[in-house]
Amino acid sequence: MHRRSHGLALIVAEQQVNRVSRADVGLRSSRGPILLAMMLSVGLVAIDSTILATAVPSIVGDLGGFHQFPWLFSIFLLAQAVSVPIYAKFSDQYGRKPIMLIGVGLFLLGSVLCGVAWNMPALIVFRGIQGLGAGAIMPTSMTIVGDLYTVAERATVQGYMASVWAISAVVGPTLGGVFVEVLDWRWIFFVNIPLALFAGWTLLRRFHEEVERVRHRIDVAGAVLLTAGSSLLILGLLEGGVLWPWRSLTSLAVLGGAAVLLIAFAAVERRASEPIIPGWVFRSRLFNTTNLVSLAVGAMVVGLTSYVPLYVQGVLGHNALVGGFAVAALTIGWPIAASTAGRVYLRIGFRSTALVGAAVALLGAGLLALLAADSSVWLVATTCFVVGLGMGWIASPILIAAQAAAEWQVRGVVTGTNMFARSMGSAVGIAVFGALANVALGGTSTVGGQHGGGGLDGVAAGPLYAALHHVFIGSAAVALVMLLGIALMPRKP
């Protein structure tokens, strides 16, 4: 296994921290154009996650397919999640640049096709192409940042990357509303075209890397088994209790098939010369704990973003705009904390910084579980903001800790595995939180749905509050898992 001491990296970084300025690593530096390209590429995915929701009513009104529209979100999540480990492995074998260009190109192609979609099934398929592009963009962009910048420099660079999500949280819904009201819903996809073209052109012209040219053996069997197995697993978790009952032959076939394929994948990887996910990833205490925490982060985020709006609307009686405001507090607190996390982990270490974040997130989740049926929406937003602060001090340090322990040749795999764990956490969170809510309702109504979205389905405020209270208690339990996972991270490599 190719590893280096992240403890030594932190010592060197702490010695350098006072010498790193924005002039050295900012957008005007020699690496600035590449950083801008990474920000624009990530921005494509970040804005996509917020801009589409505002246009759904217009899309359904134009194309029809009301019962199919949740798949606009689910297919994107599915395609992105299952492709991340494969792109990550290829970026280690063939370099970051070609994989990043493929990702931007696929996202561009998907955006153009979505903009000219003639019906809902076509739009869903084209959203899948966008998801495949996002699956390359997210891990590869973070791997490139890990390659270009030292640990000390990333303390500053992280502020730039975090700002993308903060801006997207505000710009996305606003642009979506403007396009729907003034132009046409198709412009929510066409707006990606100039951004993707500029990001791709900048990468092509300004990003240069030296890749050792050796003959690689592509793990075709592993890639096929991982894609099929994880697709069935995510599909089963997303649709269980929605399109079919959990206790049904369909559910058993889908989840059982996923288990068989993933077991076969593990067996194939043991014999592969260049496996998609090498076995040493699962023998490392650092990687196991950071991946566990990343999985919990994915579950926590989907729990809050899916069910806090339901609480604000169905229990407190506010409209969708107010519900969106409450969740926006989470997406604002996260990048604020992420932009400051670098300075903190350079002083006290990755593990200690993440522990502080987990304690803050657990406090916020505990406050969320104490919300009453008549709580103020400002209290809800404040609680989400506190959780967001905690997440910002968790997600960045654990990812950078994992990257700092990996050499260039395996950094893509390490980054991709961490992000794959977060995607799986989102799918697990959708299933578990939905089950908690529906069990609390006695199975007579459905709260949540595909992609964690869904409606109130005629549920009265009282029973709905009881159901969501169970979900928020579950969120607190997930926050506790994050805390325990971070506590198990090695103090030293």
Side-chain angles (χ1 to χ4, degrees):
M1 178 176 62
H2 303 276
R3 294 185 59 189
R4 63 183 175 86
S5 168
H6 71 272
L8 177 59
L10 272 178
I11 293 173
V12 174
E14 191 168 353
Q15 293 172 346
Q16 296 175 340
V17 66
N18 292 327
R19 299 199 298 269
V20 176
S21 67
R22 291 189 179 273
D24 299 321
V25 299
L27 296 177
R28 296 184 179 181
S29 67
S30 60
R31 293 167 290 182
I34 303 173
L35 176 59
L36 179 60
M38 296 300 102
M39 294 173 65
L40 287 174
S41 300
V42 171
L44 292 171
V45 181
I47 290 179
D48 179 86
S49 65
T50 59
I51 196 174
L52 180 59
T54 59
V56 164
S58 296
I59 294 173
V60 172
D62 187 14
L63 300 181
F66 175 79
H67 296 293
Q68 298 171 311
F69 89 82
W71 271 100
L72 293 176
F73 303 95
S74 297
I75 194 67
F76 186 93
L77 171 66
L78 178 62
Q80 179 182 4
V82 301
S83 61
V84 162
I86 298 172
Y87 285 128
K89 179 63 179 182
F90 287 167
S91 75
D92 284 339
Q93 292 179 322
Y94 303 106
R96 324 299 190 206
K97 184 175 181 177
I99 303 305
M100 193 68 185
L101 289 173
I102 288 172
V104 173
L106 282 174
F107 201 93
L108 173 61
L109 174 63
S111 297
V112 173
L113 292 175
C114 284
V116 299
W118 52 92
N119 57 31
M120 186 62 74
L123 182 58
I124 290 171
V125 171
F126 300 150
R127 282 282 293 166
I129 296 176
Q130 277 190 310
L132 290 175
I137 289 172
M138 293 307 294
T140 310
S141 61
M142 297 309 298
T143 305
I144 290 174
V145 170
D147 292 339
L148 289 180
Y149 299 98
T150 65
V151 174
E153 290 173 332
R154 268 179 280 175
T156 302
V157 171
Q158 190 58 42
Y160 287 94
M161 299 300 293
S163 68
V164 173
W165 295 95
I167 293 171
S168 299
V170 177
V171 172
T174 303
L175 275 180
V178 169
F179 288 149
V180 168
E181 295 295 331
V182 179
L183 297 173
D184 186 87
W185 63 263
R186 298 177 187 275
W187 281 94
I188 69 173
F189 299 109
F190 290 149
V191 73
N192 294 328
I193 296 174
L195 299 177
L197 287 175
F198 182 78
W201 179 82
T202 304
L203 280 169
L204 199 60
R205 293 289 302 273
R206 302 299 295 269
F207 181 45
H208 307 286
E209 60 181 348
E210 294 183 5
V211 181
E212 185 180 357
R213 301 299 176 185
V214 298
R215 189 176 184 85
H216 293 283
R217 297 189 63 179
I218 299 176
D219 182 15
V220 177
V224 171
L225 289 171
L226 177 62
T227 300
S230 55
S231 295
L232 285 179
L233 177 60
I234 294 174
L235 179 66
L237 293 173
L238 289 177
E239 300 299 345
V242 180
L243 289 185
W244 54 75
W246 284 109
R247 297 179 181 179
S248 66
L249 287 178
T250 303
S251 184
L252 178 63
V254 171
L255 295 178
V260 170
L261 289 170
L262 291 176
I263 290 172
F265 166 73
V268 167
E269 295 301 270
R270 291 172 65 92
R271 299 191 300 271
S273 58
E274 295 187 67
I276 297 294
I277 303 180
W280 53 258
V281 172
F282 303 104
R283 293 192 293 270
S284 165
R285 180 179 169 185
L286 174 64
F287 297 150
N288 282 333
T289 51
T290 52
N291 290 339
L292 171 63
V293 174
S294 188
L295 186 144
V297 167
M300 186 78 170
V301 170
V302 80
L304 268 63
T305 56
S306 300
Y307 291 99
V308 166
L310 287 179
Y311 168 78
V312 173
Q313 296 174 62
V315 177
L316 301 186
H318 295 285
N319 58 32
L321 182 62
V322 177
F325 158 75
V327 175
L330 170 73
T331 59
I332 292 172
W334 189 318
I336 289 175
S339 63
T340 62
R343 297 288 175 178
V344 178
Y345 68 62
L346 289 178
R347 298 298 183 187
I348 65 176
F350 297 122
R351 179 178 178 273
S352 297
T353 303
L355 279 174
V356 173
V360 173
L362 182 58
L363 172 63
L367 293 174
L368 194 67
L370 295 176
L371 291 175
D374 58 351
S375 294
S376 164
V377 69
W378 290 102
L379 178 59
V380 180
T382 301
T383 300
C384 289
F385 181 78
V386 172
V387 174
L389 287 176
M391 293 296 204
W393 284 320
I394 295 172
S396 297
I398 64 167
L399 175 60
I400 296 174
Q403 288 183 327
E407 298 289 356
W408 187 97
Q409 295 86 349
V410 295
R411 191 173 292 132
V413 165
V414 169
T415 305
T417 305
N418 189 274
M419 292 190 169
F420 180 66
R422 185 182 298 189
S423 297
M424 293 305 299
S426 297
V428 171
I430 290 171
V432 172
F433 291 136
L436 285 174
N438 293 326
V439 167
L441 291 171
T444 58
S445 300
T446 300
V447 176
Q450 287 174 316
H451 197 66
L456 305 180
D457 199 26
V459 182
L464 181 62
Y465 168 71
L468 296 180
H469 181 65
H470 281 76
V471 172
F472 295 153
I473 291 175
S475 297
V478 172
L480 182 60
V481 170
M482 283 194 295
L483 180 63
L484 294 176
I486 295 167
L488 291 174
M489 286 177 62
R491 295 177 183 272
K492 296 181 180 180

